[in-house]
Each structure stands twice: as structure tokens, then as C-alpha cells.
PDB file of all heavy atoms in Angstrom:
ATOM      1  N   GLY A   1     -12.925  38.686 -15.406  1.00 87.00           N
ATOM      2  CA  GLY A   1     -13.546  37.517 -15.864  1.00 87.00           C
ATOM      3  C   GLY A   1     -14.780  37.817 -16.735  1.00 87.00           C
ATOM      4  O   GLY A   1     -15.009  37.131 -17.734  1.00 87.00           O
ATOM      5  N   PHE A   2     -15.573  38.767 -16.314  1.00 90.00           N
ATOM      6  CA  PHE A   2     -16.783  39.030 -17.027  1.00 90.00           C
ATOM      7  C   PHE A   2     -16.452  39.636 -18.373  1.00 90.00           C
ATOM      8  O   PHE A   2     -17.054  39.320 -19.410  1.00 90.00           O
ATOM      9  CB  PHE A   2     -17.678  40.098 -16.248  1.00 90.00           C
ATOM     10  CG  PHE A   2     -18.888  40.455 -16.861  1.00 90.00           C
ATOM     11  CD1 PHE A   2     -20.031  39.600 -16.879  1.00 90.00           C
ATOM     12  CD2 PHE A   2     -19.105  41.645 -17.552  1.00 90.00           C
ATOM     13  CE1 PHE A   2     -21.170  39.906 -17.480  1.00 90.00           C
ATOM     14  CE2 PHE A   2     -20.261  42.030 -18.152  1.00 90.00           C
ATOM     15  CZ  PHE A   2     -21.307  41.213 -18.169  1.00 90.00           C
ATOM     16  N   ILE A   3     -15.443  40.555 -18.409  1.00 90.00           N
ATOM     17  CA  ILE A   3     -15.034  41.212 -19.709  1.00 90.00           C
ATOM     18  C   ILE A   3     -14.441  40.045 -20.641  1.00 90.00           C
ATOM     19  O   ILE A   3     -14.783  40.022 -21.837  1.00 90.00           O
ATOM     20  CB  ILE A   3     -13.973  42.231 -19.457  1.00 90.00           C
ATOM     21  CG1 ILE A   3     -14.543  43.372 -18.746  1.00 90.00           C
ATOM     22  CG2 ILE A   3     -13.266  42.695 -20.797  1.00 90.00           C
ATOM     23  CD1 ILE A   3     -13.507  44.526 -18.305  1.00 90.00           C
ATOM     24  N   GLY A   4     -13.681  39.135 -20.021  1.00 86.00           N
ATOM     25  CA  GLY A   4     -13.203  37.972 -20.825  1.00 86.00           C
ATOM     26  C   GLY A   4     -14.301  37.154 -21.391  1.00 86.00           C
ATOM     27  O   GLY A   4     -14.222  36.682 -22.603  1.00 86.00           O
ATOM     28  N   ALA A   5     -15.337  36.849 -20.620  1.00 88.00           N
ATOM     29  CA  ALA A   5     -16.477  36.131 -21.074  1.00 88.00           C
ATOM     30  C   ALA A   5     -17.150  36.779 -22.174  1.00 88.00           C
ATOM     31  O   ALA A   5     -17.637  36.227 -23.208  1.00 88.00           O
ATOM     32  CB  ALA A   5     -17.461  35.740 -19.914  1.00 88.00           C
ATOM     33  N   THR A   6     -17.348  38.141 -22.097  1.00 91.00           N
ATOM     34  CA  THR A   6     -18.016  38.890 -23.102  1.00 91.00           C
ATOM     35  C   THR A   6     -17.210  38.901 -24.388  1.00 91.00           C
ATOM     36  O   THR A   6     -17.746  38.750 -25.472  1.00 91.00           O
ATOM     37  CB  THR A   6     -18.084  40.452 -22.622  1.00 91.00           C
ATOM     38  OG1 THR A   6     -18.847  40.512 -21.380  1.00 91.00           O
ATOM     39  CG2 THR A   6     -18.781  41.235 -23.666  1.00 91.00           C
ATOM     40  N   MET A   7     -15.876  38.963 -24.303  1.00 88.00           N
ATOM     41  CA  MET A   7     -15.019  38.796 -25.510  1.00 88.00           C
ATOM     42  C   MET A   7     -15.184  37.469 -26.150  1.00 88.00           C
ATOM     43  O   MET A   7     -15.153  37.367 -27.375  1.00 88.00           O
ATOM     44  CB  MET A   7     -13.580  39.123 -25.130  1.00 88.00           C
ATOM     45  CG  MET A   7     -13.339  40.499 -24.614  1.00 88.00           C
ATOM     46  SD  MET A   7     -13.793  41.848 -25.664  1.00 88.00           S
ATOM     47  CE  MET A   7     -12.670  41.505 -27.070  1.00 88.00           C
ATOM     48  N   VAL A   8     -15.218  36.380 -25.302  1.00 85.00           N
ATOM     49  CA  VAL A   8     -15.442  35.026 -25.920  1.00 85.00           C
ATOM     50  C   VAL A   8     -16.804  35.005 -26.617  1.00 85.00           C
ATOM     51  O   VAL A   8     -16.852  34.419 -27.749  1.00 85.00           O
ATOM     52  CB  VAL A   8     -15.352  33.980 -24.766  1.00 85.00           C
ATOM     53  CG1 VAL A   8     -15.776  32.700 -25.236  1.00 85.00           C
ATOM     54  CG2 VAL A   8     -13.994  33.923 -24.213  1.00 85.00           C
ATOM     55  N   ALA A   9     -17.830  35.528 -26.052  1.00 89.00           N
ATOM     56  CA  ALA A   9     -19.160  35.490 -26.695  1.00 89.00           C
ATOM     57  C   ALA A   9     -19.170  36.284 -28.031  1.00 89.00           C
ATOM     58  O   ALA A   9     -19.661  35.748 -29.000  1.00 89.00           O
ATOM     59  CB  ALA A   9     -20.166  36.152 -25.710  1.00 89.00           C
ATOM     60  N   LEU A  10     -18.543  37.450 -28.040  1.00 88.00           N
ATOM     61  CA  LEU A  10     -18.455  38.291 -29.231  1.00 88.00           C
ATOM     62  C   LEU A  10     -17.655  37.561 -30.324  1.00 88.00           C
ATOM     63  O   LEU A  10     -17.946  37.541 -31.522  1.00 88.00           O
ATOM     64  CB  LEU A  10     -17.782  39.614 -29.016  1.00 88.00           C
ATOM     65  CG  LEU A  10     -18.640  40.598 -28.187  1.00 88.00           C
ATOM     66  CD1 LEU A  10     -17.991  41.849 -27.790  1.00 88.00           C
ATOM     67  CD2 LEU A  10     -19.979  40.836 -28.808  1.00 88.00           C
ATOM     68  N   ALA A  11     -16.516  36.870 -29.887  1.00 85.00           N
ATOM     69  CA  ALA A  11     -15.697  36.143 -30.811  1.00 85.00           C
ATOM     70  C   ALA A  11     -16.480  34.945 -31.401  1.00 85.00           C
ATOM     71  O   ALA A  11     -16.451  34.631 -32.619  1.00 85.00           O
ATOM     72  CB  ALA A  11     -14.373  35.633 -30.093  1.00 85.00           C
ATOM     73  N   ALA A  12     -17.291  34.290 -30.575  1.00 87.00           N
ATOM     74  CA  ALA A  12     -18.018  33.049 -31.007  1.00 87.00           C
ATOM     75  C   ALA A  12     -19.142  33.554 -32.113  1.00 87.00           C
ATOM     76  O   ALA A  12     -19.312  32.900 -33.058  1.00 87.00           O
ATOM     77  CB  ALA A  12     -18.743  32.425 -29.864  1.00 87.00           C
ATOM     78  N   ILE A  13     -19.721  34.747 -31.745  1.00 89.00           N
ATOM     79  CA  ILE A  13     -20.692  35.221 -32.673  1.00 89.00           C
ATOM     80  C   ILE A  13     -20.100  35.564 -34.059  1.00 89.00           C
ATOM     81  O   ILE A  13     -20.547  35.235 -35.171  1.00 89.00           O
ATOM     82  CB  ILE A  13     -21.501  36.438 -32.113  1.00 89.00           C
ATOM     83  CG1 ILE A  13     -22.426  36.069 -30.982  1.00 89.00           C
ATOM     84  CG2 ILE A  13     -22.240  37.174 -33.178  1.00 89.00           C
ATOM     85  CD1 ILE A  13     -23.109  37.239 -30.288  1.00 89.00           C
ATOM     86  N   ALA A  14     -18.862  36.207 -33.915  1.00 85.00           N
ATOM     87  CA  ALA A  14     -18.210  36.571 -35.167  1.00 85.00           C
ATOM     88  C   ALA A  14     -17.803  35.379 -36.046  1.00 85.00           C
ATOM     89  O   ALA A  14     -17.853  35.396 -37.236  1.00 85.00           O
ATOM     90  CB  ALA A  14     -16.946  37.370 -34.793  1.00 85.00           C
ATOM     91  N   ILE A  15     -17.342  34.400 -35.272  1.00 85.00           N
ATOM     92  CA  ILE A  15     -16.856  33.092 -35.961  1.00 85.00           C
ATOM     93  C   ILE A  15     -18.096  32.476 -36.756  1.00 85.00           C
ATOM     94  O   ILE A  15     -18.006  32.056 -37.920  1.00 85.00           O
ATOM     95  CB  ILE A  15     -16.317  32.064 -35.034  1.00 85.00           C
ATOM     96  CG1 ILE A  15     -14.910  32.668 -34.541  1.00 85.00           C
ATOM     97  CG2 ILE A  15     -16.104  30.736 -35.691  1.00 85.00           C
ATOM     98  CD1 ILE A  15     -14.351  31.820 -33.436  1.00 85.00           C
ATOM     99  N   VAL A  16     -19.300  32.476 -36.122  1.00 87.00           N
ATOM    100  CA  VAL A  16     -20.385  31.838 -36.696  1.00 87.00           C
ATOM    101  C   VAL A  16     -21.040  32.779 -37.848  1.00 87.00           C
ATOM    102  O   VAL A  16     -21.218  32.301 -38.990  1.00 87.00           O
ATOM    103  CB  VAL A  16     -21.589  31.615 -35.698  1.00 87.00           C
ATOM    104  CG1 VAL A  16     -22.827  31.090 -36.373  1.00 87.00           C
ATOM    105  CG2 VAL A  16     -21.021  30.496 -34.648  1.00 87.00           C
ATOM    106  N   GLN A  17     -21.084  34.036 -37.472  1.00 84.00           N
ATOM    107  CA  GLN A  17     -21.806  35.032 -38.398  1.00 84.00           C
ATOM    108  C   GLN A  17     -20.961  35.333 -39.648  1.00 84.00           C
ATOM    109  O   GLN A  17     -21.462  35.358 -40.756  1.00 84.00           O
ATOM    110  CB  GLN A  17     -22.216  36.325 -37.703  1.00 84.00           C
ATOM    111  CG  GLN A  17     -22.699  37.386 -38.546  1.00 84.00           C
ATOM    112  CD  GLN A  17     -24.053  37.072 -39.140  1.00 84.00           C
ATOM    113  OE1 GLN A  17     -24.840  36.329 -38.558  1.00 84.00           O
ATOM    114  NE2 GLN A  17     -24.349  37.594 -40.309  1.00 84.00           N
ATOM    115  N   PHE A  18     -19.726  35.565 -39.469  1.00 81.00           N
ATOM    116  CA  PHE A  18     -18.798  36.022 -40.540  1.00 81.00           C
ATOM    117  C   PHE A  18     -17.883  34.861 -41.061  1.00 81.00           C
ATOM    118  O   PHE A  18     -17.181  35.105 -42.090  1.00 81.00           O
ATOM    119  CB  PHE A  18     -17.976  37.224 -40.131  1.00 81.00           C
ATOM    120  CG  PHE A  18     -18.814  38.359 -39.660  1.00 81.00           C
ATOM    121  CD1 PHE A  18     -18.839  38.692 -38.325  1.00 81.00           C
ATOM    122  CD2 PHE A  18     -19.520  39.121 -40.524  1.00 81.00           C
ATOM    123  CE1 PHE A  18     -19.627  39.786 -37.802  1.00 81.00           C
ATOM    124  CE2 PHE A  18     -20.328  40.188 -40.153  1.00 81.00           C
ATOM    125  CZ  PHE A  18     -20.353  40.505 -38.826  1.00 81.00           C
ATOM    126  N   GLY A  19     -17.736  33.699 -40.365  1.00 81.00           N
ATOM    127  CA  GLY A  19     -16.887  32.713 -40.694  1.00 81.00           C
ATOM    128  C   GLY A  19     -17.622  31.521 -41.270  1.00 81.00           C
ATOM    129  O   GLY A  19     -17.464  31.206 -42.432  1.00 81.00           O
ATOM    130  N   ILE A  20     -18.505  30.925 -40.471  1.00 86.00           N
ATOM    131  CA  ILE A  20     -19.191  29.654 -40.920  1.00 86.00           C
ATOM    132  C   ILE A  20     -20.314  29.966 -41.859  1.00 86.00           C
ATOM    133  O   ILE A  20     -20.342  29.334 -42.968  1.00 86.00           O
ATOM    134  CB  ILE A  20     -19.729  28.914 -39.663  1.00 86.00           C
ATOM    135  CG1 ILE A  20     -18.544  28.418 -38.752  1.00 86.00           C
ATOM    136  CG2 ILE A  20     -20.540  27.729 -40.137  1.00 86.00           C
ATOM    137  CD1 ILE A  20     -18.959  27.708 -37.546  1.00 86.00           C
ATOM    138  N   ILE A  21     -21.123  30.863 -41.601  1.00 85.00           N
ATOM    139  CA  ILE A  21     -22.329  31.033 -42.454  1.00 85.00           C
ATOM    140  C   ILE A  21     -21.881  31.475 -43.848  1.00 85.00           C
ATOM    141  O   ILE A  21     -22.300  30.799 -44.873  1.00 85.00           O
ATOM    142  CB  ILE A  21     -23.314  32.029 -41.834  1.00 85.00           C
ATOM    143  CG1 ILE A  21     -23.845  31.497 -40.516  1.00 85.00           C
ATOM    144  CG2 ILE A  21     -24.461  32.359 -42.816  1.00 85.00           C
ATOM    145  CD1 ILE A  21     -24.791  32.364 -39.772  1.00 85.00           C
ATOM    146  N   PRO A  22     -21.251  32.579 -44.095  1.00 83.00           N
ATOM    147  CA  PRO A  22     -20.768  32.882 -45.468  1.00 83.00           C
ATOM    148  C   PRO A  22     -19.511  32.189 -45.835  1.00 83.00           C
ATOM    149  O   PRO A  22     -19.207  32.033 -47.089  1.00 83.00           O
ATOM    150  CB  PRO A  22     -20.705  34.409 -45.442  1.00 83.00           C
ATOM    151  CG  PRO A  22     -20.164  34.682 -44.108  1.00 83.00           C
ATOM    152  CD  PRO A  22     -20.917  33.645 -43.137  1.00 83.00           C
ATOM    153  N   GLY A  23     -18.733  31.810 -44.945  1.00 82.00           N
ATOM    154  CA  GLY A  23     -17.336  31.324 -45.191  1.00 82.00           C
ATOM    155  C   GLY A  23     -17.284  29.999 -45.842  1.00 82.00           C
ATOM    156  O   GLY A  23     -16.558  29.731 -46.772  1.00 82.00           O
ATOM    157  N   VAL A  24     -18.236  29.019 -45.415  1.00 87.00           N
ATOM    158  CA  VAL A  24     -18.231  27.699 -45.965  1.00 87.00           C
ATOM    159  C   VAL A  24     -18.635  27.801 -47.457  1.00 87.00           C
ATOM    160  O   VAL A  24     -17.940  27.197 -48.316  1.00 87.00           O
ATOM    161  CB  VAL A  24     -19.047  26.746 -45.024  1.00 87.00           C
ATOM    162  CG1 VAL A  24     -19.254  25.458 -45.775  1.00 87.00           C
ATOM    163  CG2 VAL A  24     -18.465  26.573 -43.766  1.00 87.00           C
ATOM    164  N   PRO A  25     -19.713  28.311 -47.738  1.00 86.00           N
ATOM    165  CA  PRO A  25     -20.099  28.544 -49.155  1.00 86.00           C
ATOM    166  C   PRO A  25     -19.045  29.180 -49.998  1.00 86.00           C
ATOM    167  O   PRO A  25     -18.775  28.884 -51.105  1.00 86.00           O
ATOM    168  CB  PRO A  25     -21.492  29.225 -49.178  1.00 86.00           C
ATOM    169  CG  PRO A  25     -21.988  28.966 -47.786  1.00 86.00           C
ATOM    170  CD  PRO A  25     -20.816  29.019 -46.877  1.00 86.00           C
ATOM    171  N   SER A  26     -18.472  30.313 -49.391  1.00 85.00           N
ATOM    172  CA  SER A  26     -17.431  31.085 -50.180  1.00 85.00           C
ATOM    173  C   SER A  26     -16.283  30.208 -50.450  1.00 85.00           C
ATOM    174  O   SER A  26     -15.634  30.186 -51.545  1.00 85.00           O
ATOM    175  CB  SER A  26     -17.016  32.285 -49.403  1.00 85.00           C
ATOM    176  OG  SER A  26     -16.034  32.994 -49.993  1.00 85.00           O
ATOM    177  N   LEU A  27     -15.885  29.354 -49.425  1.00 86.00           N
ATOM    178  CA  LEU A  27     -14.696  28.444 -49.662  1.00 86.00           C
ATOM    179  C   LEU A  27     -14.990  27.355 -50.758  1.00 86.00           C
ATOM    180  O   LEU A  27     -14.250  27.029 -51.490  1.00 86.00           O
ATOM    181  CB  LEU A  27     -14.430  27.748 -48.307  1.00 86.00           C
ATOM    182  CG  LEU A  27     -13.126  26.959 -48.321  1.00 86.00           C
ATOM    183  CD1 LEU A  27     -11.902  27.885 -48.603  1.00 86.00           C
ATOM    184  CD2 LEU A  27     -12.940  26.273 -46.956  1.00 86.00           C
ATOM    185  N   ALA A  28     -16.330  26.992 -50.816  1.00 87.00           N
ATOM    186  CA  ALA A  28     -16.792  25.983 -51.836  1.00 87.00           C
ATOM    187  C   ALA A  28     -16.609  26.625 -53.162  1.00 87.00           C
ATOM    188  O   ALA A  28     -16.219  25.898 -54.199  1.00 87.00           O
ATOM    189  CB  ALA A  28     -18.199  25.599 -51.525  1.00 87.00           C
ATOM    190  N   THR A  29     -16.971  27.956 -53.357  1.00 87.00           N
ATOM    191  CA  THR A  29     -16.762  28.516 -54.702  1.00 87.00           C
ATOM    192  C   THR A  29     -15.262  28.592 -55.065  1.00 87.00           C
ATOM    193  O   THR A  29     -14.944  28.428 -56.328  1.00 87.00           O
ATOM    194  CB  THR A  29     -17.322  29.994 -54.636  1.00 87.00           C
ATOM    195  OG1 THR A  29     -16.601  30.796 -53.749  1.00 87.00           O
ATOM    196  CG2 THR A  29     -18.755  30.009 -54.268  1.00 87.00           C
ATOM    197  N   LYS A  30     -14.359  28.832 -54.078  1.00 86.00           N
ATOM    198  CA  LYS A  30     -12.989  28.924 -54.377  1.00 86.00           C
ATOM    199  C   LYS A  30     -12.456  27.475 -54.946  1.00 86.00           C
ATOM    200  O   LYS A  30     -11.716  27.274 -55.894  1.00 86.00           O
ATOM    201  CB  LYS A  30     -12.139  29.342 -53.267  1.00 86.00           C
ATOM    202  CG  LYS A  30     -12.623  30.644 -52.652  1.00 86.00           C
ATOM    203  CD  LYS A  30     -12.498  31.792 -53.628  1.00 86.00           C
ATOM    204  CE  LYS A  30     -12.928  33.116 -53.088  1.00 86.00           C
ATOM    205  NZ  LYS A  30     -12.348  33.599 -51.903  1.00 86.00           N
ATOM    206  N   PHE A  31     -12.923  26.426 -54.190  1.00 88.00           N
ATOM    207  CA  PHE A  31     -12.413  25.043 -54.568  1.00 88.00           C
ATOM    208  C   PHE A  31     -13.125  24.701 -55.935  1.00 88.00           C
ATOM    209  O   PHE A  31     -12.365  24.094 -56.810  1.00 88.00           O
ATOM    210  CB  PHE A  31     -12.997  24.036 -53.450  1.00 88.00           C
ATOM    211  CG  PHE A  31     -11.983  23.890 -52.398  1.00 88.00           C
ATOM    212  CD1 PHE A  31     -11.968  24.687 -51.252  1.00 88.00           C
ATOM    213  CD2 PHE A  31     -11.089  22.871 -52.344  1.00 88.00           C
ATOM    214  CE1 PHE A  31     -11.031  24.474 -50.191  1.00 88.00           C
ATOM    215  CE2 PHE A  31     -10.201  22.520 -51.338  1.00 88.00           C
ATOM    216  CZ  PHE A  31     -10.220  23.476 -50.295  1.00 88.00           C
ATOM    217  N   ASP A  32     -14.391  25.032 -56.113  1.00 88.00           N
ATOM    218  CA  ASP A  32     -14.998  24.715 -57.422  1.00 88.00           C
ATOM    219  C   ASP A  32     -14.383  25.421 -58.539  1.00 88.00           C
ATOM    220  O   ASP A  32     -14.231  24.800 -59.629  1.00 88.00           O
ATOM    221  CB  ASP A  32     -16.539  25.044 -57.295  1.00 88.00           C
ATOM    222  CG  ASP A  32     -17.325  24.018 -58.105  1.00 88.00           C
ATOM    223  OD1 ASP A  32     -17.036  22.845 -57.968  1.00 88.00           O
ATOM    224  OD2 ASP A  32     -18.219  24.417 -58.786  1.00 88.00           O
ATOM    225  N   TYR A  33     -14.065  26.707 -58.376  1.00 86.00           N
ATOM    226  CA  TYR A  33     -13.363  27.441 -59.419  1.00 86.00           C
ATOM    227  C   TYR A  33     -12.080  26.824 -59.832  1.00 86.00           C
ATOM    228  O   TYR A  33     -11.820  26.761 -61.092  1.00 86.00           O
ATOM    229  CB  TYR A  33     -13.153  28.821 -58.926  1.00 86.00           C
ATOM    230  CG  TYR A  33     -12.704  29.819 -60.002  1.00 86.00           C
ATOM    231  CD1 TYR A  33     -13.618  30.615 -60.802  1.00 86.00           C
ATOM    232  CD2 TYR A  33     -11.217  29.979 -60.261  1.00 86.00           C
ATOM    233  CE1 TYR A  33     -13.067  31.502 -61.728  1.00 86.00           C
ATOM    234  CE2 TYR A  33     -10.783  30.808 -61.219  1.00 86.00           C
ATOM    235  CZ  TYR A  33     -11.790  31.559 -62.021  1.00 86.00           C
ATOM    236  OH  TYR A  33     -11.287  32.487 -62.927  1.00 86.00           O
ATOM    237  N   PHE A  34     -11.311  26.390 -58.894  1.00 86.00           N
ATOM    238  CA  PHE A  34      -9.960  25.705 -59.203  1.00 86.00           C
ATOM    239  C   PHE A  34     -10.220  24.387 -59.910  1.00 86.00           C
ATOM    240  O   PHE A  34      -9.537  24.173 -60.914  1.00 86.00           O
ATOM    241  CB  PHE A  34      -9.246  25.595 -57.952  1.00 86.00           C
ATOM    242  CG  PHE A  34      -7.984  24.816 -58.078  1.00 86.00           C
ATOM    243  CD1 PHE A  34      -6.798  25.488 -58.621  1.00 86.00           C
ATOM    244  CD2 PHE A  34      -7.848  23.560 -57.760  1.00 86.00           C
ATOM    245  CE1 PHE A  34      -5.636  24.730 -58.717  1.00 86.00           C
ATOM    246  CE2 PHE A  34      -6.740  22.731 -57.924  1.00 86.00           C
ATOM    247  CZ  PHE A  34      -5.573  23.396 -58.470  1.00 86.00           C
ATOM    248  N   PHE A  35     -11.068  23.574 -59.392  1.00 88.00           N
ATOM    249  CA  PHE A  35     -11.257  22.213 -59.969  1.00 88.00           C
ATOM    250  C   PHE A  35     -11.876  22.273 -61.390  1.00 88.00           C
ATOM    251  O   PHE A  35     -11.593  21.446 -62.204  1.00 88.00           O
ATOM    252  CB  PHE A  35     -11.992  21.343 -59.030  1.00 88.00           C
ATOM    253  CG  PHE A  35     -11.232  20.793 -57.951  1.00 88.00           C
ATOM    254  CD1 PHE A  35     -10.962  21.533 -56.738  1.00 88.00           C
ATOM    255  CD2 PHE A  35     -10.580  19.476 -58.076  1.00 88.00           C
ATOM    256  CE1 PHE A  35     -10.133  20.970 -55.774  1.00 88.00           C
ATOM    257  CE2 PHE A  35      -9.773  18.960 -57.150  1.00 88.00           C
ATOM    258  CZ  PHE A  35      -9.571  19.700 -55.897  1.00 88.00           C
ATOM    259  N   VAL A  36     -12.734  23.304 -61.639  1.00 87.00           N
ATOM    260  CA  VAL A  36     -13.376  23.354 -62.938  1.00 87.00           C
ATOM    261  C   VAL A  36     -12.516  24.118 -63.919  1.00 87.00           C
ATOM    262  O   VAL A  36     -12.197  23.629 -65.031  1.00 87.00           O
ATOM    263  CB  VAL A  36     -14.758  24.097 -62.818  1.00 87.00           C
ATOM    264  CG1 VAL A  36     -15.344  24.301 -64.197  1.00 87.00           C
ATOM    265  CG2 VAL A  36     -15.720  23.282 -61.937  1.00 87.00           C
ATOM    266  N   ASN A  37     -11.980  25.295 -63.566  1.00 86.00           N
ATOM    267  CA  ASN A  37     -11.267  26.106 -64.552  1.00 86.00           C
ATOM    268  C   ASN A  37      -9.789  25.681 -64.680  1.00 86.00           C
ATOM    269  O   ASN A  37      -9.228  25.827 -65.826  1.00 86.00           O
ATOM    270  CB  ASN A  37     -11.211  27.573 -64.044  1.00 86.00           C
ATOM    271  CG  ASN A  37     -12.661  28.229 -64.338  1.00 86.00           C
ATOM    272  OD1 ASN A  37     -13.687  27.517 -64.347  1.00 86.00           O
ATOM    273  ND2 ASN A  37     -12.605  29.519 -64.526  1.00 86.00           N
TER     274      ASN A  37
END
């Protein structure tokens, strides 16, 4: 259970650090590139 909780914590950090923080602006660039070009 403790190992599982640790994995959940690491996954949550990864989602925020590598998914939401750079991911949302990066996704905005992809959308903007398509709609403009």
C-alpha cells in the first residue's frame, strides 16, 4: 500500500510538472499553428 501511494504521488508530480505546466502552453502552440497557417 505504501509503495502504491508513493507511485501515485510520483505520477501526480509527473502529470503536473511535465503535463500541465509545459503541456498546456505547448498544446496552445499546436492549435494556434494549425488555425493560423
Side-chain angles (χ1 to χ4, degrees):
F2 181 77
I3 293 174
T6 302
M7 297 303 293
V8 169
L10 293 176
I13 290 178
I15 290 172
V16 175
Q17 174 66 29
F18 303 108
I20 294 176
I21 295 175
V24 173
S26 177
L27 191 59
T29 63
K30 305 297 176 63
F31 272 84
D32 213 45
Y33 187 92
F34 173 79
F35 278 86
V36 172
N37 285 29

